[in-house]
Amino acid sequence: MTTDTIKKRYGLFTAIAMIIGIVIGSGIFFKSDNILIATGGNVVLGVIIFCFAAVSIIFGSLTVAELASRTDEPGGVLTYARVFINPMAGSAYGWFQTFVYLPTITVVLSWVSGIYFCIFMGINASLEVQCLVGFGLLTGLYLMNMLSARLAGLFQNAATVIKLIPLLIIAVAGLLHGNTQTAAVAMPTPATGMLHASWIMAIPSVAFSFDGWIISTSVAHEIKNSRRNLPIALVISPLFILLMYILYFVGVTNLLGAPAIMQLGDAHLDKAAAMVFGPFGAKLIGFFVLISVLGGLNGLVMGISQMPYSLALQKMIPGADRLKVLTPKSDFPLNSTIASYLIVACWFVIHYFTQRFGLLANSDVSEIAIVVSYLLYLPLYYQVFKLGQKRQIGAFRGILCPVLAAAGSLIIFSGGLQSPLFILYIAICLVFLAGGMVYYQKVTKAQV
């Protein structure tokens, strides 16, 4: 085995597919009713909130792209923090991403994959069966990535294309054959909707649908000509995602009407599918949604498997000498991938018990990290802002983008404040952030 640089194995399309594949999972299919309920059935206000909440990803991507274009070292966020803030911050960010943020999101999406697999197969599954199936699917994707990173990349590309099919079909059908009068039934005016205080609760739902874009930066070092291609992918992907979300939201509302969607809840997707495809529609859409979720899960696996390796290169994690070793033929970080799998497995056990005994009420373990992650982006945005002040970047990319990205992060954070477990979430994240800083200090002192 060697510790040479990892091969550049992914092209621009795979980078774009990874971002789209992670962000577009099950969220958009099952958040439309939540958004309409929060806005009192106001479709126009729902579209406005999509655009409003999308600020965090669109301008966040544009801002992070400036950092991505200035380094192609492994690690993504941890590298940006290490290079542009300081090494201790890089270690803290790396520990947070490796031990909390990425594994908790991966666990929840694995569980969701198990749920949709059981629905597709017609299995009336208990929580235990859902978790076992989800863990099995997760294990299968890990094996695919370990046996062939190229195959994993091809699956990511294919899953991205497949998951867009139901979005496009329902969007087009709704826009061409839907009834805009139906969408407007019992719908308040935009002015009335804005006065309805509950519309603020729609922001977390939309934000959840956009989360995950930052994960693509963790494989920047595997993207061919990453200084050029990753920034392009970070610009194109969020704009495309926003367009797809709005088209789907408006299309499905035209097909069924806002009151029907609010009444049907998550079942509105099956109803829309039956209207477009006939009786076989629900089954077909179930397959598309399953592929959609698995594509998102595979993107997460691709991202998290690199994190222990990235930390190991900077000696920021125990067992660094083993974790930075690459396989001789494929230059794949096998030990890092196995380590990330074990971390995810531990969180899977925690997730099961929290769901089994209702310890987190109506939330899940991923909420521990999602809200905090947006706060941690703020120092990175500030680094770009400083480059803009020094006129090393133009005013749009260096001033306006980081300011709007920061505003978007604060919007998401404000939604997280509504959670009764917010203090607990912050405490857990602080433990791992502090752990990264303490370990880095320990290693640094040992080297003196």
Side-chain angles (χ1 to χ4, degrees), residues 81-82 85-94 316 433 436-438 440-441:
R82 177 179 61 82
I85 303 177
N86 59 60
M88 186 179 295
S91 183
Y93 275 58
M316 293 177 174
L433 287 166
M437 290 189 288
V438 170
Y440 178 78
Q441 285 182 321

Side-chain angles (χ1 to χ4, degrees), residues 91-132:
S91 183
Y93 275 58
W95 274 53
F96 173 75
Q97 291 266 322
T98 304
F99 294 107
V100 184
Y101 177 69
L102 291 175
T104 54
I105 296 175
T106 302
V107 163
V108 172
L109 201 54
S110 300
W111 174 50
V112 172
S113 299
I115 292 173
Y116 290 135
F117 181 86
C118 291
I119 292 174
F120 179 70
M121 298 301 294
I123 302 172
N124 186 16
S126 62
L127 174 65
E128 287 74 15
V129 173
Q130 292 170 353
C131 288
L132 285 174

Side-chain angles (χ1 to χ4, degrees), residues 85 93 96 369-382 405-406 408-414 417 422 426 429-430 433:
I85 303 177
Y93 275 58
F96 173 75
I370 290 176
V371 171
V372 177
S373 68
Y374 281 97
L375 279 184
L376 294 179
Y377 300 154
L378 294 178
L380 298 177
Y381 297 157
Y382 179 63
S409 290
L410 293 175
I411 289 170
I412 306 304
F413 180 71
S414 66
L417 289 173
F422 176 76
I426 288 289
C429 292
L430 286 176
L433 287 166

